[in-house]
């Protein structure tokens, strides 16, 4: 089936969507059984795995990932060191999202 993915393509898609490298044990756990290397996986299975990975992340872990992805300057640098702590960044971001 041309719309299905190889196990390698599937794991690569999960990595691209979530930033998390999926182990074979993780894949087996979410899909409920062994996944042979020659198995073709569906888009439905991909969405189920991506949702499970994202749901398993703590909300603070997501904010940490956002923090690491951006170069934060000026207004959050309350200590004037040229650096912004993750805690200050998360508090500011939570305040703006609330």
């Amino acid at each position: 089936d041309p719309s299905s993915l190889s196990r390698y393509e599937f794991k690569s898609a999960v990595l691209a969507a979530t930033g998390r490298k999926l182990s074979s044990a993780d894949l087996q756990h979410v899909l409920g059984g062994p996944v042979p290397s020659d198995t073709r996986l569906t888009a439905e299975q991909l969405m189920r795995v991506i949702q499970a990975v994202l749901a398993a992340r703590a909300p603070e872990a997501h904010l940490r990932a956002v923090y690491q992805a951006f170069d934060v300057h000026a207004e959050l640098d309350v200590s004037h060191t040229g650096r912004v702590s993750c805690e200050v960044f998360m508090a500011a971001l939570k305040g703006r999202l609330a």
Side-chain angles (χ1 to χ4, degrees), residues 27-42:
L27 184 60
Q28 180 175 333
H29 174 73
V30 174
L31 295 180
V35 182
S37 60
D38 62 345
T39 299
R40 301 292 294 181
L41 298 150
T42 66

Side-chain angles (χ1 to χ4, degrees), residues 27-96:
L27 184 60
Q28 180 175 333
H29 174 73
V30 174
L31 295 180
V35 182
S37 60
D38 62 345
T39 299
R40 301 292 294 181
L41 298 150
T42 66
E44 180 183 313
Q45 289 171 312
L46 177 62
M47 292 308 298
R48 192 166 67 207
V49 169
I50 289 172
Q51 288 172 345
V53 169
L54 293 176
R57 290 174 107 174
E60 304 240 335
H62 178 69
L63 290 177
R64 260 184 212 285
V66 171
Y67 169 73
Q68 291 171 347
F70 288 94
D71 184 22
V72 181
H73 294 290
E75 72 181 87
L76 296 180
D77 183 12
V78 294
S79 61
H80 305 288
T81 61
R83 299 186 65 171
V84 175
S85 74
C86 187
E87 289 72 24
V88 168
F89 175 81
M90 290 187 333
L93 188 57
K94 284 179 183 178
R96 289 182 185 165

